[in-house]
Amino acid sequence: MLTGDLYRFQDLLAPAEADVVARVREFLATQVVPIANEHWSRASFPHDLIKGYADLGIAGTDQSNLLSGWLSLEMARADASMATFYGVHAGLAMGSIETCGSPSQKERWLPSMRSFDKIGAFALTEPTGGSDVAAGLRTTARRDGDRWILNGAKRWIGNGTFADLTVVWARDVDDNQVKGFVVEKGTPGFTATKIENKIALRIVQNADIVLEDCVVGDPNRLRGAATFKDTAKVLRATRSGVAWEAVGVMLAAYEIALNYAREREQFGRPIGKFQLVQDLLVRMLGNLTGSLGMVVRLAQLQDAGDFRDEHSALAKAYTTTRMREVVGWARELLAGNGIVLDYDIGRFVADAEALYSYEGTREINTMIVGRAVTGLSAFV
């Protein structure tokens, strides 16, 4: 049982699912955790680990949302950057093709993505737009016979520097609707440049992408992506994944702080014996337990087919806010040792800032939930 799973939510997994989680947890503990700080410090990506992720055999498989969520938790518990790498590839990129692709398109791309022979990226956010992307998307697509000409720019594209397949969302100049296109690596007019000097998710290779008369054949246009409502279907599912990742970060921070409190001595005794330290730990555990209960119920609703936008929006807004508190309290407990990578928590503190922002800010997700509960839209 996980130290931070006080109410034993993991017991809700079927035995076979628990075995998958145990196998993934072992891989993360032995392969990812030992190298995370080094790569985070260098802002480099451990490409040699991709085969290990492939060997896990979990990408794009027929699994419950509870299992899928728990795997996201475990990945973020090891390292938020590598959880993001996996989430972009298996969630956003593969999810776009699974949700919006035709049967032949799924057959064309998904097998090589499941095996990690082809790595995916998802290009929606733009340099001048984030929260307003539904109405303010500036990247354009113009049909020219049996091909499309894409022009525009994208920013913060995870896996963007090395992805083999990038799902690009662009506005059709003819009908003003957002459509999806799979742009293959090496396509002329497609340029990806690594974003430098990040203070969060430094292992993730985020890219600025420029599309200059980028020609994409019509077979690469996702057949089921006709409006932004189709894009939103992908985001609804992946937003819940980010909520699980936030819980994973909380779990890691709590475990780091708990272990430190047991081992660190001041005034001749472990600091875990002091009341104020125990207060911090219990606050962390409360946030973690409440958030874990929320995402578990969210997964149950998904598995039951009773899943709406406001469910994932509330989970993302709530868990990432609680996550910020938890990593801050953990850093406080470690005092000066909390700001060096040697004790791990500093990496989680920094990475939490990115999780708090991406897949919809707290404010945007709040308005999604507010619209659902009042029947009144506050969007402008």
Side-chain angles (χ1 to χ4, degrees), residues 102-306:
S102 66
S104 62
Q105 289 176 323
K106 295 176 188 180
E107 184 179 350
R108 176 183 171 189
W109 289 310
L110 290 179
S112 61
M113 297 179 81
R114 290 190 192 101
S115 65
F116 285 77
D117 291 323
K118 299 286 186 182
I119 300 298
F122 178 92
L124 176 62
T125 303
E126 299 182 340
T128 58
S131 297
D132 67 346
V133 69
L137 198 73
R138 297 187 178 185
T139 299
T140 62
R142 178 175 57 84
R143 183 151 196 172
D144 180 23
D146 61 354
R147 61 182 193 165
W148 294 80
I149 314 298
L150 306 183
N151 280 284
K154 300 292 182 180
R155 185 164 172 81
W156 300 116
I157 309 309
N159 305 347
T161 62
F162 62 90
D164 301 287
L165 303 169
T166 301
V167 179
V168 174
W169 300 92
R171 190 174 301 280
D172 186 345
V173 296
D174 287 333
D175 63 9
N176 203 37
Q177 297 297 325
V178 174
K179 294 180 170 58
F181 303 85
V182 176
V183 181
E184 299 178 61
K185 189 175 184 178
T187 300
F190 179 95
T191 305
T193 305
K194 180 182 175 181
I195 297 174
E196 303 285 359
N197 302 318
K198 295 189 300 174
I199 67 164
L201 299 182
R202 287 172 56 80
I203 295 175
V204 177
Q205 303 300 290
N206 292 98
D208 277 317
I209 290 176
V210 175
L211 301 140
E212 294 183 304
D213 293 331
C214 181
V215 178
V216 178
D218 189 58
N220 283 37
R221 176 179 59 84
L222 292 175
R223 290 298 187 261
T227 73
F228 189 79
K229 289 182 179 180
D230 299 311
T231 318
K233 293 176 185 176
V234 180
L235 298 177
R236 180 191 308 157
T238 57
R239 189 173 288 133
S240 62
V242 178
W244 277 96
E245 289 174 12
V247 178
V249 168
M250 279 190 263
L251 179 57
Y254 172 75
E255 290 175 332
I256 292 167
L258 179 61
N259 291 334
Y260 188 85
R262 288 168 170 165
E263 298 169 1
R264 174 71 170 177
E265 292 193 359
Q266 292 286 280
F267 304 102
R269 54 180 171 167
I271 64 172
K273 294 192 71 173
F274 292 100
Q275 292 175 352
L276 292 179
V277 170
Q278 290 192 2
D279 178 64
L280 282 176
L281 290 169
V282 172
R283 281 196 244 168
M284 284 185 247
L285 184 59
N287 277 8
L288 168 59
T289 303
S291 297
L292 184 52
M294 176 179 278
V295 295
V296 165
R297 181 57 182 152
L298 176 64
Q300 291 173 335
L301 289 172
Q302 289 176 282
D303 286 330
D306 184 17

Side-chain angles (χ1 to χ4, degrees), residues 30 56 68 130 215 270 279 316:
T30 59
L56 292 173
S68 178
V215 178
D279 178 64
K316 199 279 177 178

